[in-house]
Amino acid sequence: MDHFPGTWGRPRNDVYGAYDASYLQTTGPKAHTSSPAVTGTSVVGVKFNGGVAIATDNLASYGSLARFSDVKRLRSFGDNAMVGFGGDVSDMQYLDRLLESMDIRENYSAHGNMLNAKNLHTYLAKVFYKRRSEFNPLWNHVLVAGFDGEGEPFLSSADLLGTTFSAPHLATGFGAHLAVPILRRKFPEEMPLAEVTQEAAVEALKECMKVLFYRDARSIDKYSIAVITKDGIDLKEDEQIQGQSWAFAERIKGYGAQVV
Amino acid sequence: MFRNNYDNDAVTFSPQGRIFQVEYAQEAVKQGSVVVGLVNKTHAVLVGLKRNAEELSSYQKKIIEIDSHMAIAIAGLASDARVLSNFMKQQSLGSKMTYGRPIPLDRIVAQIGDRAQTNTQHYGKRPYGVGLLVAGVDEAGPHLFEFQPSGLTHEMVACAIGARSQMARTYLERNLDKFEDCSRDELIQHGLSALKETLSQDKELTIDNTSVGVVGVTNGKKESFKLYEGQETAALLEVLEQRESAGAEGESMEVDS
Protein backbone atom coordinates (compact mmCIF):
# COMPACT_ATOMS: atom_id res chain seq x y z
CA MET A 1 0.00 0.00 0.00
CA ASP A 2 1.29 3.44 -0.98
CA HIS A 3 0.66 5.73 1.97
CA PHE A 4 1.41 8.96 0.06
CA PRO A 5 -1.76 10.32 -1.58
CA GLY A 6 0.42 12.73 -3.67
CA THR A 7 1.66 9.82 -5.73
CA TRP A 8 -1.70 8.07 -6.20
CA GLY A 9 -2.82 7.86 -9.79
CA ARG A 10 0.66 8.72 -11.05
CA PRO A 11 2.84 6.44 -13.15
CA ARG A 12 4.94 4.37 -10.73
CA ASN A 13 8.56 5.42 -10.53
CA ASP A 14 9.69 1.79 -10.21
CA VAL A 15 7.88 0.90 -13.45
CA TYR A 16 8.24 4.05 -15.65
CA GLY A 17 11.25 5.83 -14.14
CA ALA A 18 11.29 9.12 -12.23
CA TYR A 19 8.77 11.75 -13.28
CA ASP A 20 10.29 14.49 -15.43
CA ALA A 21 9.56 17.49 -13.19
CA SER A 22 11.05 19.96 -15.68
CA TYR A 23 7.57 20.33 -17.20
CA LEU A 24 6.37 21.82 -13.91
CA GLN A 25 9.10 24.43 -13.85
CA THR A 26 7.90 27.75 -12.45
CA THR A 27 11.06 29.74 -13.07
CA GLY A 28 12.37 31.01 -16.40
CA PRO A 29 11.14 33.77 -18.71
CA LYS A 30 7.53 34.97 -18.45
CA ALA A 31 5.50 33.86 -21.45
CA HIS A 32 2.95 36.14 -23.14
CA THR A 33 0.38 35.52 -25.83
CA SER A 34 2.24 34.31 -28.90
CA SER A 35 -0.82 33.55 -31.00
CA PRO A 36 -4.45 34.63 -30.94
CA ALA A 37 -7.11 32.19 -29.68
CA VAL A 38 -10.63 33.23 -30.67
CA THR A 39 -10.42 35.39 -33.76
CA GLY A 40 -12.47 37.59 -36.04
CA THR A 41 -11.59 37.90 -39.70
CA SER A 42 -11.65 40.86 -42.12
CA VAL A 43 -12.81 44.42 -41.52
CA VAL A 44 -13.58 46.50 -44.61
CA GLY A 45 -14.03 50.28 -44.78
CA VAL A 46 -14.70 52.88 -47.51
CA LYS A 47 -14.73 56.68 -47.41
CA PHE A 48 -17.45 58.52 -49.33
CA ASN A 49 -18.47 62.15 -49.77
CA GLY A 50 -19.72 63.08 -46.31
CA GLY A 51 -18.65 60.07 -44.26
CA VAL A 52 -17.28 56.57 -43.97
CA ALA A 53 -18.87 53.10 -44.24
CA ILE A 54 -17.36 50.10 -42.45
CA ALA A 55 -18.33 46.41 -42.25
CA THR A 56 -17.33 43.15 -40.53
CA ASP A 57 -18.97 39.76 -40.37
CA ASN A 58 -20.39 38.49 -37.08
CA LEU A 59 -18.17 35.44 -36.60
CA ALA A 60 -15.61 34.64 -33.94
CA SER A 61 -13.62 31.53 -34.88
CA TYR A 62 -11.78 29.21 -32.53
CA GLY A 63 -9.03 28.07 -34.86
CA SER A 64 -10.92 26.76 -37.89
CA LEU A 65 -14.08 26.13 -35.85
CA ALA A 66 -16.87 28.68 -36.42
CA ARG A 67 -17.39 29.01 -32.65
CA PHE A 68 -19.50 32.17 -32.07
CA SER A 69 -21.76 33.43 -34.84
CA ASP A 70 -23.19 36.59 -33.25
CA VAL A 71 -20.16 38.60 -32.20
CA LYS A 72 -20.36 42.35 -32.77
CA ARG A 73 -16.96 43.40 -34.06
CA LEU A 74 -17.95 46.99 -34.85
CA ARG A 75 -17.80 49.16 -31.74
CA SER A 76 -18.83 52.81 -31.56
CA PHE A 77 -16.92 55.55 -29.77
CA GLY A 78 -18.77 58.76 -29.02
CA ASP A 79 -21.22 60.06 -31.59
CA ASN A 80 -19.05 60.06 -34.69
CA ALA A 81 -16.42 57.34 -34.50
CA MET A 82 -16.38 53.62 -35.06
CA VAL A 83 -13.74 50.94 -34.56
CA GLY A 84 -13.81 47.65 -36.51
CA PHE A 85 -11.78 44.88 -34.92
CA GLY A 86 -10.02 42.00 -36.64
CA GLY A 87 -7.95 39.46 -34.74
CA ASP A 88 -8.23 38.27 -31.15
CA VAL A 89 -11.71 38.70 -29.70
CA SER A 90 -10.68 38.84 -26.03
CA ASP A 91 -8.19 41.60 -26.85
CA MET A 92 -11.01 43.35 -28.71
CA GLN A 93 -13.13 43.18 -25.56
CA TYR A 94 -10.25 44.56 -23.51
CA LEU A 95 -9.79 47.47 -25.92
CA ASP A 96 -13.52 48.09 -25.98
CA ARG A 97 -13.56 48.43 -22.19
CA LEU A 98 -10.53 50.73 -22.41
CA LEU A 99 -12.25 52.94 -24.97
CA GLU A 100 -15.51 52.98 -23.05
CA SER A 101 -13.82 54.17 -19.86
CA MET A 102 -12.00 56.82 -21.90
CA ASP A 103 -15.28 57.95 -23.46
CA ILE A 104 -16.85 58.33 -20.02
CA ARG A 105 -13.82 60.26 -18.76
CA GLU A 106 -14.01 62.57 -21.78
CA ASN A 107 -17.70 63.23 -21.26
CA TYR A 108 -17.29 64.38 -17.65
CA SER A 109 -15.96 67.76 -18.78
CA ALA A 110 -17.38 67.96 -22.28
CA HIS A 111 -16.95 71.67 -22.96
CA GLY A 112 -17.03 70.92 -26.71
CA ASN A 113 -13.71 69.07 -26.57
CA MET A 114 -14.57 65.58 -27.76
CA LEU A 115 -11.99 63.14 -29.10
CA ASN A 116 -12.58 62.56 -32.81
CA ALA A 117 -11.79 59.44 -34.85
CA LYS A 118 -8.31 60.72 -35.67
CA ASN A 119 -7.46 61.26 -32.00
CA LEU A 120 -8.86 57.82 -31.23
CA HIS A 121 -6.72 56.24 -33.94
CA THR A 122 -3.56 57.95 -32.66
CA TYR A 123 -4.33 56.68 -29.17
CA LEU A 124 -5.03 53.11 -30.28
CA ALA A 125 -1.81 52.99 -32.32
CA LYS A 126 0.11 54.10 -29.22
CA VAL A 127 -1.56 51.41 -27.10
CA PHE A 128 -0.67 48.74 -29.68
CA TYR A 129 2.92 49.97 -29.93
CA LYS A 130 3.35 50.05 -26.16
CA ARG A 131 2.10 46.49 -25.83
CA ARG A 132 4.21 45.12 -28.67
CA SER A 133 7.26 46.82 -27.07
CA GLU A 134 6.49 44.92 -23.88
CA PHE A 135 6.45 41.72 -25.96
CA ASN A 136 2.82 41.34 -24.92
CA PRO A 137 0.90 42.43 -27.99
CA LEU A 138 -2.81 43.02 -28.31
CA TRP A 139 -3.45 40.68 -31.24
CA ASN A 140 -5.67 42.89 -33.36
CA HIS A 141 -5.77 44.78 -36.60
CA VAL A 142 -8.31 47.59 -36.39
CA LEU A 143 -9.87 50.13 -38.70
CA VAL A 144 -10.94 53.45 -37.19
CA ALA A 145 -13.64 55.35 -39.08
CA GLY A 146 -15.17 58.76 -38.48
CA PHE A 147 -14.06 62.36 -38.91
CA ASP A 148 -10.81 64.24 -38.32
CA GLY A 149 -10.31 67.62 -36.67
CA GLU A 150 -11.26 69.47 -39.86
CA GLY A 151 -14.51 67.53 -40.17
CA GLU A 152 -13.27 65.52 -43.17
CA PRO A 153 -14.07 61.79 -43.43
CA PHE A 154 -11.35 59.75 -41.72
CA LEU A 155 -10.38 56.10 -42.20
CA SER A 156 -7.16 54.58 -40.93
CA SER A 157 -5.79 51.27 -39.72
CA ALA A 158 -3.60 50.24 -36.80
CA ASP A 159 -2.21 46.77 -36.19
CA LEU A 160 -0.70 44.75 -33.37
CA LEU A 161 2.74 46.24 -34.02
CA GLY A 162 1.48 49.80 -33.86
CA THR A 163 1.87 50.24 -37.61
CA THR A 164 -0.57 52.78 -39.01
CA PHE A 165 -1.85 53.13 -42.53
CA SER A 166 -4.43 55.30 -44.20
CA ALA A 167 -6.25 55.13 -47.53
CA PRO A 168 -9.68 56.02 -49.03
CA HIS A 169 -10.57 52.32 -48.68
CA LEU A 170 -8.99 49.81 -46.35
CA ALA A 171 -9.39 46.19 -45.27
CA THR A 172 -7.71 43.99 -42.68
CA GLY A 173 -6.80 40.30 -42.79
CA PHE A 174 -8.09 38.32 -45.79
CA GLY A 175 -9.96 41.42 -46.90
CA ALA A 176 -6.64 43.15 -47.59
CA HIS A 177 -6.12 40.58 -50.35
CA LEU A 178 -9.68 40.02 -51.55
CA ALA A 179 -11.66 43.21 -50.88
CA VAL A 180 -9.12 45.95 -51.55
CA PRO A 181 -8.69 45.03 -55.27
CA ILE A 182 -12.46 45.19 -55.72
CA LEU A 183 -12.62 48.58 -54.00
CA ARG A 184 -9.67 49.89 -56.04
CA ARG A 185 -11.48 48.90 -59.23
CA LYS A 186 -14.73 50.55 -58.13
CA PHE A 187 -13.12 53.70 -56.72
CA PRO A 188 -9.84 54.30 -58.58
CA GLU A 189 -7.14 56.50 -57.08
CA GLU A 190 -7.79 59.37 -59.50
CA MET A 191 -11.50 59.44 -58.62
CA PRO A 192 -12.14 62.37 -56.25
CA LEU A 193 -13.87 61.56 -52.98
CA ALA A 194 -16.65 64.00 -53.88
CA GLU A 195 -17.81 61.57 -56.58
CA VAL A 196 -18.15 58.59 -54.23
CA THR A 197 -21.71 58.46 -52.95
CA GLN A 198 -22.90 56.85 -49.75
CA GLU A 199 -25.04 54.37 -51.74
CA ALA A 200 -22.09 53.33 -53.92
CA ALA A 201 -19.88 52.86 -50.85
CA VAL A 202 -22.45 50.72 -49.04
CA GLU A 203 -23.12 48.70 -52.18
CA ALA A 204 -19.39 48.08 -52.63
CA LEU A 205 -19.05 46.93 -49.02
CA LYS A 206 -21.92 44.47 -49.44
CA GLU A 207 -20.24 43.00 -52.51
CA CYS A 208 -16.93 42.75 -50.63
CA MET A 209 -18.63 40.93 -47.76
CA LYS A 210 -20.11 38.48 -50.26
CA VAL A 211 -16.79 37.80 -51.99
CA LEU A 212 -15.15 37.37 -48.58
CA PHE A 213 -17.84 34.86 -47.58
CA TYR A 214 -17.25 32.94 -50.81
CA ARG A 215 -13.49 32.73 -50.48
CA ASP A 216 -12.55 33.20 -46.79
CA ALA A 217 -13.07 29.95 -44.86
CA ARG A 218 -13.12 31.86 -41.53
CA SER A 219 -16.12 33.99 -42.52
CA ILE A 220 -19.88 33.76 -42.17
CA ASP A 221 -22.81 35.16 -44.14
CA LYS A 222 -24.10 37.36 -41.28
CA TYR A 223 -22.46 40.74 -41.02
CA SER A 224 -22.62 44.20 -39.45
CA ILE A 225 -22.37 47.46 -41.37
CA ALA A 226 -22.07 51.00 -40.06
CA VAL A 227 -22.46 54.26 -41.97
CA ILE A 228 -20.92 57.24 -40.21
CA THR A 229 -22.06 60.69 -41.33
CA LYS A 230 -22.27 64.11 -39.67
CA ASP A 231 -25.76 63.08 -38.48
CA GLY A 232 -24.31 60.21 -36.46
CA ILE A 233 -23.83 56.49 -36.79
CA ASP A 234 -26.26 54.20 -38.58
CA LEU A 235 -25.30 50.75 -37.35
CA LYS A 236 -26.96 47.57 -38.60
CA GLU A 237 -25.72 44.50 -36.74
CA ASP A 238 -27.84 41.68 -38.15
CA GLU A 239 -27.43 41.76 -41.92
CA GLN A 240 -27.54 38.71 -44.19
CA ILE A 241 -25.51 38.36 -47.40
CA GLN A 242 -28.02 38.57 -50.28
CA GLY A 243 -28.05 36.93 -53.71
CA GLN A 244 -25.50 34.20 -53.16
CA SER A 245 -24.60 32.04 -56.12
CA TRP A 246 -22.25 29.13 -55.67
CA ALA A 247 -22.25 28.20 -59.40
CA PHE A 248 -18.62 29.29 -59.70
CA ALA A 249 -17.65 26.60 -57.19
CA GLU A 250 -18.37 23.94 -59.82
CA ARG A 251 -15.30 24.99 -61.77
CA ILE A 252 -12.92 24.95 -58.84
CA LYS A 253 -10.74 21.84 -58.92
CA GLY A 254 -7.85 20.52 -56.92
CA TYR A 255 -9.21 20.77 -53.38
CA GLY A 256 -10.65 18.30 -50.90
CA ALA A 257 -11.66 14.79 -51.83
CA GLN A 258 -12.10 15.64 -55.52
CA VAL A 259 -9.65 13.64 -57.62
CA VAL A 260 -10.07 14.79 -61.27
CA MET B 1 4.47 86.86 14.05
CA PHE B 2 2.35 85.71 16.99
CA ARG B 3 -0.86 85.62 15.12
CA ASN B 4 -2.07 82.28 16.43
CA ASN B 5 -1.29 78.62 16.98
CA TYR B 6 -3.00 77.43 13.82
CA ASP B 7 -0.62 78.58 11.14
CA ASN B 8 2.28 76.17 11.59
CA ASP B 9 1.27 73.91 8.75
CA ALA B 10 -1.15 73.79 5.89
CA VAL B 11 -3.15 70.85 7.21
CA THR B 12 -4.56 72.40 10.40
CA PHE B 13 -7.81 74.32 10.52
CA SER B 14 -8.23 77.28 12.83
CA PRO B 15 -11.34 77.15 15.05
CA GLN B 16 -12.91 79.64 12.64
CA GLY B 17 -12.46 77.14 9.81
CA ARG B 18 -9.57 78.89 8.12
CA ILE B 19 -6.26 77.48 6.91
CA PHE B 20 -3.77 80.22 7.55
CA GLN B 21 -0.90 78.82 5.50
CA VAL B 22 -3.12 78.94 2.44
CA GLU B 23 -4.09 82.51 3.20
CA TYR B 24 -0.42 83.46 3.57
CA ALA B 25 0.28 81.87 0.22
CA GLN B 26 -2.41 84.08 -1.23
CA GLU B 27 -0.55 87.06 0.25
CA ALA B 28 2.50 86.01 -1.78
CA VAL B 29 0.36 86.40 -4.90
CA LYS B 30 -0.57 89.93 -3.82
CA GLN B 31 3.14 90.77 -3.44
CA GLY B 32 3.88 89.77 -7.04
CA SER B 33 3.69 92.33 -9.81
CA VAL B 34 0.39 92.61 -11.59
CA VAL B 35 -0.84 90.57 -14.55
CA VAL B 36 -4.10 91.09 -16.42
CA GLY B 37 -6.00 88.67 -18.63
CA LEU B 38 -9.11 89.09 -20.74
CA VAL B 39 -11.04 87.23 -23.45
CA ASN B 40 -13.54 88.01 -26.14
CA LYS B 41 -15.25 85.82 -28.75
CA THR B 42 -12.05 85.26 -30.73
CA HIS B 43 -9.00 85.98 -28.60
CA ALA B 44 -7.46 85.66 -25.16
CA VAL B 45 -4.93 88.28 -24.07
CA LEU B 46 -2.44 88.34 -21.20
CA VAL B 47 -0.55 91.47 -20.22
CA GLY B 48 1.96 91.74 -17.40
CA LEU B 49 4.11 94.29 -15.64
CA LYS B 50 7.68 93.04 -15.31
CA ARG B 51 9.88 93.95 -12.35
CA ASN B 52 13.63 94.02 -12.08
CA ALA B 53 15.19 93.18 -8.72
CA GLU B 54 17.68 96.01 -9.09
CA GLU B 55 18.61 98.62 -11.63
CA LEU B 56 21.32 96.46 -13.20
CA SER B 57 19.41 93.19 -13.36
CA SER B 58 17.15 91.82 -16.06
CA TYR B 59 13.38 91.80 -15.72
CA GLN B 60 11.55 88.77 -14.30
CA LYS B 61 9.55 86.94 -16.98
CA LYS B 62 5.78 87.24 -16.40
CA ILE B 63 4.26 85.31 -19.31
CA ILE B 64 5.29 81.74 -20.08
CA GLU B 65 4.23 79.91 -23.23
CA ILE B 66 3.05 76.38 -22.41
CA ASP B 67 2.24 75.26 -25.93
CA SER B 68 1.34 76.91 -29.22
CA HIS B 69 -2.27 77.16 -28.05
CA MET B 70 -1.84 78.48 -24.52
CA ALA B 71 0.24 80.43 -22.04
CA ILE B 72 0.25 81.44 -18.38
CA ALA B 73 0.86 84.75 -16.68
CA ILE B 74 2.27 84.58 -13.15
CA ALA B 75 2.03 86.62 -9.97
CA GLY B 76 3.94 85.48 -6.90
CA LEU B 77 6.89 83.15 -6.47
CA ALA B 78 8.40 82.71 -9.93
CA SER B 79 10.17 79.50 -8.95
CA ASP B 80 6.87 77.88 -7.94
CA ALA B 81 5.45 79.04 -11.24
CA ARG B 82 8.28 77.30 -13.04
CA VAL B 83 7.40 74.01 -11.38
CA LEU B 84 3.78 74.41 -12.44
CA SER B 85 4.63 75.54 -15.96
CA ASN B 86 7.00 72.60 -16.45
CA PHE B 87 4.21 70.27 -15.37
CA MET B 88 1.78 71.95 -17.74
CA LYS B 89 4.27 71.72 -20.62
CA GLN B 90 4.66 68.00 -19.96
CA GLN B 91 0.92 67.39 -19.85
CA SER B 92 0.39 69.40 -22.99
CA LEU B 93 3.09 67.52 -24.86
CA GLY B 94 1.68 64.24 -23.56
CA SER B 95 -1.76 65.05 -24.96
CA LYS B 96 -0.28 65.86 -28.36
CA MET B 97 1.72 62.64 -28.30
CA THR B 98 -1.02 60.20 -27.26
CA TYR B 99 -4.10 61.73 -28.88
CA GLY B 100 -2.67 64.14 -31.46
CA ARG B 101 -4.75 66.84 -29.83
CA PRO B 102 -3.84 70.11 -28.06
CA ILE B 103 -4.92 69.65 -24.45
CA PRO B 104 -8.29 71.29 -23.61
CA LEU B 105 -7.89 74.27 -21.28
CA ASP B 106 -10.37 73.15 -18.63
CA ARG B 107 -8.60 69.79 -18.43
CA ILE B 108 -5.12 71.15 -17.71
CA VAL B 109 -6.45 73.81 -15.34
CA ALA B 110 -8.27 71.10 -13.37
CA GLN B 111 -4.99 69.18 -13.20
CA ILE B 112 -2.97 72.03 -11.70
CA GLY B 113 -5.91 72.79 -9.43
CA ASP B 114 -5.82 69.22 -8.10
CA ARG B 115 -2.05 69.40 -7.62
CA ALA B 116 -2.31 72.62 -5.66
CA GLN B 117 -5.12 71.24 -3.53
CA THR B 118 -3.13 68.17 -2.46
CA ASN B 119 -0.44 70.54 -1.20
CA THR B 120 -2.97 71.93 1.25
CA GLN B 121 -3.95 68.52 2.59
CA HIS B 122 -0.65 66.68 3.16
CA TYR B 123 1.54 67.18 6.19
CA GLY B 124 4.99 68.56 5.40
CA LYS B 125 3.89 70.17 2.15
CA ARG B 126 3.25 73.84 1.48
CA PRO B 127 0.87 75.52 -0.94
CA TYR B 128 2.22 77.04 -4.15
CA GLY B 129 3.02 80.72 -3.56
CA VAL B 130 1.84 81.74 -6.98
CA GLY B 131 -1.34 82.72 -8.76
CA LEU B 132 -1.77 82.07 -12.47
CA LEU B 133 -3.85 83.36 -15.32
CA VAL B 134 -4.14 80.61 -17.92
CA ALA B 135 -5.15 81.81 -21.39
CA GLY B 136 -5.56 79.75 -24.53
CA VAL B 137 -7.78 78.33 -27.23
CA ASP B 138 -9.29 74.88 -27.70
CA GLU B 139 -12.16 73.31 -29.64
CA ALA B 140 -14.62 75.42 -27.66
CA GLY B 141 -12.86 78.72 -28.44
CA PRO B 142 -10.75 81.09 -26.36
CA HIS B 143 -10.64 80.76 -22.56
CA LEU B 144 -9.20 82.49 -19.53
CA PHE B 145 -8.81 80.76 -16.19
CA GLU B 146 -7.65 82.06 -12.84
CA PHE B 147 -5.69 79.73 -10.58
CA GLN B 148 -5.05 80.38 -6.88
CA PRO B 149 -2.65 78.72 -4.38
CA SER B 150 -5.67 77.15 -2.62
CA GLY B 151 -6.31 75.07 -5.75
CA LEU B 152 -9.37 77.12 -6.58
CA THR B 153 -9.83 77.71 -10.30
CA HIS B 154 -12.39 79.87 -12.09
CA GLU B 155 -13.13 80.56 -15.71
CA MET B 156 -13.14 84.34 -16.21
CA VAL B 157 -13.92 86.88 -18.94
CA ALA B 158 -11.40 89.25 -17.45
CA CYS B 159 -9.15 89.07 -14.41
CA ALA B 160 -6.20 90.73 -12.73
CA ILE B 161 -3.97 89.40 -9.95
CA GLY B 162 -0.92 90.78 -8.15
CA ALA B 163 0.07 94.03 -6.46
CA ARG B 164 -2.47 96.86 -6.86
CA SER B 165 -4.54 94.62 -9.13
CA GLN B 166 -7.75 96.08 -7.68
CA MET B 167 -7.27 99.15 -9.90
CA ALA B 168 -7.08 96.94 -12.98
CA ARG B 169 -10.16 94.97 -11.91
CA THR B 170 -12.09 98.21 -11.52
CA TYR B 171 -11.15 99.16 -15.08
CA LEU B 172 -12.14 95.71 -16.33
CA GLU B 173 -15.49 95.83 -14.55
CA ARG B 174 -16.26 99.30 -15.97
CA ASN B 175 -15.45 98.24 -19.53
CA LEU B 176 -16.66 94.65 -19.42
CA ASP B 177 -19.38 95.02 -22.06
CA LYS B 178 -16.90 96.43 -24.61
CA PHE B 179 -14.72 93.32 -24.65
CA GLU B 180 -16.89 90.64 -26.15
CA ASP B 181 -17.23 92.00 -29.68
CA CYS B 182 -14.06 94.08 -29.92
CA SER B 183 -11.14 93.27 -32.22
CA ARG B 184 -7.88 91.57 -31.33
CA ASP B 185 -6.00 94.87 -31.23
CA GLU B 186 -8.66 96.59 -29.15
CA LEU B 187 -8.59 93.75 -26.65
CA ILE B 188 -4.82 94.21 -26.25
CA GLN B 189 -5.37 97.92 -25.68
CA HIS B 190 -8.00 97.24 -23.02
CA GLY B 191 -5.48 94.95 -21.32
CA LEU B 192 -2.78 97.61 -21.42
CA SER B 193 -5.20 100.27 -20.15
CA ALA B 194 -6.13 98.02 -17.23
CA LEU B 195 -2.45 97.42 -16.53
CA LYS B 196 -1.72 101.13 -16.62
CA GLU B 197 -4.37 101.79 -13.98
CA THR B 198 -2.33 99.83 -11.46
CA LEU B 199 0.84 101.92 -11.80
CA SER B 200 1.89 104.22 -9.01
CA GLN B 201 2.44 107.91 -9.72
CA ASP B 202 6.13 107.71 -10.62
CA LYS B 203 5.84 104.65 -12.91
CA GLU B 204 4.86 104.19 -16.51
CA LEU B 205 4.62 101.41 -19.06
CA THR B 206 7.82 101.04 -21.09
CA ILE B 207 9.06 98.56 -23.66
CA ASP B 208 11.22 97.06 -20.90
CA ASN B 209 8.56 96.40 -18.28
CA THR B 210 5.59 95.42 -20.45
CA SER B 211 4.76 91.93 -21.70
CA VAL B 212 1.81 91.11 -23.94
CA GLY B 213 0.68 87.63 -24.99
CA VAL B 214 -2.10 86.88 -27.48
CA VAL B 215 -3.71 83.68 -28.67
CA GLY B 216 -6.93 83.20 -30.60
CA VAL B 217 -8.97 81.99 -33.53
CA THR B 218 -9.48 84.04 -36.69
CA ASN B 219 -12.10 82.79 -39.15
CA GLY B 220 -12.09 79.33 -37.59
CA LYS B 221 -8.31 79.05 -37.91
CA LYS B 222 -6.19 78.85 -34.78
CA GLU B 223 -3.66 81.61 -34.33
CA SER B 224 -0.60 80.41 -32.43
CA PHE B 225 0.38 82.10 -29.19
CA LYS B 226 2.38 85.28 -29.78
CA LEU B 227 4.44 86.96 -27.09
CA TYR B 228 5.32 90.64 -27.47
CA GLU B 229 8.31 91.77 -25.45
CA GLY B 230 10.91 94.54 -25.69
CA GLN B 231 10.92 96.44 -28.96
CA GLU B 232 7.84 94.58 -30.22
CA THR B 233 5.70 96.26 -27.58
CA ALA B 234 6.67 99.75 -28.79
CA ALA B 235 3.91 99.87 -31.42
CA LEU B 236 1.31 98.67 -28.91
CA LEU B 237 2.34 101.24 -26.31
CA GLU B 238 2.27 103.97 -28.95
CA VAL B 239 -1.34 103.11 -29.80
CA LEU B 240 -2.14 103.17 -26.08
CA GLU B 241 -0.71 106.67 -25.79
CA GLN B 242 -2.66 107.88 -28.82
CA ARG B 243 -5.88 106.40 -27.49
CA GLU B 244 -5.39 108.04 -24.12
CA SER B 245 -4.69 111.47 -25.52
CA ALA B 246 -7.65 111.09 -27.89
CA GLY B 247 -9.74 109.94 -24.92
CA ALA B 248 -8.65 113.01 -22.93
CA GLU B 249 -9.61 115.29 -25.83
CA GLY B 250 -12.92 113.49 -26.13
CA GLU B 251 -13.63 114.14 -22.47
CA SER B 252 -12.73 117.83 -22.72
CA MET B 253 -14.95 118.14 -25.80
CA GLU B 254 -17.81 116.65 -23.86
CA VAL B 255 -17.20 119.23 -21.15
CA ASP B 256 -17.28 121.97 -23.78
CA SER B 257 -20.65 120.94 -25.18
Side-chain angles (χ1 to χ4, degrees), chain B:
Chain B
M1 279 296 103
F2 345 82
R3 195 161 164 183
N4 56 57
N5 295 322
Y6 299 99
D7 66 353
N8 290 314
D9 56 63
V11 299
T12 311
F13 277 107
S14 82
Q16 286 77 38
R18 296 161 62 179
I19 298 172
F20 284 108
Q21 281 296 329
V22 172
E23 292 183 21
Y24 300 160
Q26 267 152 349
E27 288 302 315
V29 178
K30 289 182 194 160
Q31 306 276 335
S33 69
V34 65
V35 285
V36 179
L38 55 172
V39 271
N40 65 6
K41 279 180 180 164
T42 57
H43 288 83
V45 168
L46 295 172
V47 295
L49 183 68
K50 291 188 287 187
R51 269 204 297 232
N52 52 351
E54 49 183 298
E55 207 47 31
L56 297 174
S57 75
S58 64
Y59 285 80
Q60 176 65 47
K61 211 170 163 185
K62 294 296 282 181
I63 301 175
I64 303 171
E65 179 174 350
I66 301 297
D67 202 338
S68 59
H69 74 296
M70 73 169 166
I72 57 169
I74 64 180
L77 300 183
S79 37
D80 281 13
R82 219 172 55 235
V83 171
L84 280 170
S85 69
N86 283 343
F87 171 75
M88 290 170 84
K89 284 174 186 176
Q90 275 178 19
Q91 293 299 315
S92 191
L93 218 52
S95 175
K96 275 200 172 150
M97 174 80 185
T98 37
Y99 303 106
R101 168 180 77 164
I103 195 163
L105 268 277
D106 59 334
R107 202 73 52 87
I108 194 160
V109 169
Q111 282 180 345
I112 55 170
D114 290 350
R115 259 173 89 98
Q117 196 280 334
T118 46
N119 284 347
T120 68
Q121 222 181 4
H122 288 275
Y123 190 79
K125 288 186 179 284
R126 68 163 174 84
Y128 290 111
V130 70
L132 305 180
L133 296 180
V134 185
V137 282
D138 59 25
E139 294 294 305
H143 298 283
L144 174 71
F145 287 89
E146 181 194 6
F147 161 89
Q148 294 174 352
S150 58
L152 216 60
T153 59
H154 292 294
E155 176 150 22
M156 311 292 275
V157 280
C159 187
I161 54 172
R164 300 164 62 89
S165 59
Q166 183 54 53
M167 303 295 286
R169 276 200 296 278
T170 308
Y171 175 90
L172 294 172
E173 282 163 20
R174 290 222 176 105
N175 295 281
L176 192 60
D177 42 331
K178 294 182 194 156
F179 300 159
E180 187 162 309
D181 292 306
C182 77
S183 72
R184 173 188 191 274
D185 295 340
E186 280 168 338
L187 198 66
I188 294 172
Q189 291 303 322
H190 280 302
L192 287 172
S193 298
L195 193 67
K196 197 168 186 184
E197 293 286 320
T198 68
L199 298 175
S200 52
Q201 287 287 308
D202 54 335
K203 288 268 174 58
E204 55 182 331
L205 292 180
T206 67
I207 58 168
D208 293 319
N209 70 6
T210 312
S211 274
V212 179
V214 192
V215 64
V217 268
T218 24
N219 305 323
K221 209 171 159 287
K222 275 184 192 169
E223 174 187 327
S224 289
F225 177 73
K226 168 82 179 126
L227 182 62
Y228 296 87
E229 272 185 320
Q231 208 54 51
E232 285 177 299
T233 59
L236 300 173
L237 291 174
E238 208 163 295
V239 177
L240 179 69
E241 209 159 300
Q242 283 165 10
R243 274 168 59 103
E244 301 225 323
S245 55
E249 276 170 34
E251 273 168 34
S252 60
M253 279 167 72
E254 268 181 20
V255 174
D256 283 349
S257 67

Side-chain angles (χ1 to χ4, degrees), chain A residues 102 105-106 109 111-115 119 122-123 126, chain B residues 97-101 104 106-107 138-140 143 155:
Chain A
M102 190 167 82
R105 203 165 62 234
E106 282 291 309
S109 60
H111 228 288
N113 289 297
M114 293 305 297
L115 287 173
N119 301 144
T122 309
Y123 175 70
K126 295 287 186 294
Chain B
M97 174 80 185
T98 37
Y99 303 106
R101 168 180 77 164
D106 59 334
R107 202 73 52 87
D138 59 25
E139 294 294 305
H143 298 283
E155 176 150 22

